[in-house]
Amino acid sequence: MVGTNPVRDITTFVSLYLLLSLPPFLYLNQGLSELVTDIALLATVGTVLLVVTTVLVFISDGVERYTDFFFSLTDLYSVVVDLAFVLAAVSWWAVPELATRFQWGAQLRYVLTAIIVCHVPMVLFLSLLTVMGRARTAV
């Protein structure tokens, strides 16, 4: 596997997540007021910096294994893990876009629930990879 530097792994993980989620969100919401766009940008960056980065430091074993899957697509499992990551990152802009395009009655609670559901596979894989990494180092 590739990763041995936790700072590089966390930076890669967060950077790819932001790259897949934030630019499309801002592009698709150009018609919104500048204040709403600025609030969304600040909320996203603030959340990533304060909460996600702190959590990723504590579960760096899983992040290391996750970023290893980014750089070595060798089998079906690595593709599924990467697709779970892409689904989570893309859900921030894809779910609201699909809700408005297909007129599903885009109430905020339903859109947020769908976004959270899209994050479940990534969080599950991250948790499992963390457990596997810690079990491997404990043996």
Side-chain angles (χ1 to χ4, degrees):
M1 294 284 185
V2 175
T4 57
N5 185 350
V7 174
R8 187 207 63 205
D9 293 334
I10 291 170
T11 304
T12 302
F13 189 87
V14 172
S15 299
L16 285 173
Y17 186 88
L18 284 176
L19 181 68
L20 289 172
S21 61
L22 196 56
F25 174 81
L26 294 175
Y27 175 76
L28 291 170
N29 293 301
Q30 286 178 353
L32 296 176
S33 69
E34 190 173 324
L35 178 64
V36 173
T37 306
D38 289 344
I39 290 172
L41 178 63
L42 287 173
T44 303
V45 172
T47 300
V48 168
L49 289 177
L50 295 175
V51 178
V52 176
T53 305
T54 304
V55 171
L56 292 177
V57 168
F58 287 116
I59 59 170
S60 61
D61 296 335
V63 175
E64 175 188 343
R65 293 179 60 80
Y66 219 114
T67 54
D68 289 346
F69 278 108
F70 290 154
F71 298 116
S72 60
L73 291 172
T74 56
D75 56 3
L76 180 64
Y77 298 115
S78 60
V79 171
V80 170
V81 169
D82 287 347
L83 287 177
F85 179 84
V86 170
L87 174 67
V90 168
S91 68
W92 287 107
W93 59 267
V95 170
E97 187 68 20
L98 290 172
T100 56
R101 181 160 299 174
F102 293 113
Q103 299 171 351
W104 290 335
Q107 292 183 1
L108 183 60
R109 64 180 165 188
Y110 297 128
V111 170
L112 290 177
T113 301
I115 291 170
I116 290 169
V117 168
C118 289
H119 278 76
V120 169
M122 181 189 73
V123 171
L124 178 66
F125 284 129
L126 189 56
S127 300
L128 290 173
L129 292 172
T130 301
V131 169
M132 290 173 54
R134 291 193 179 163
R136 183 180 63 184
T137 58
V139 172

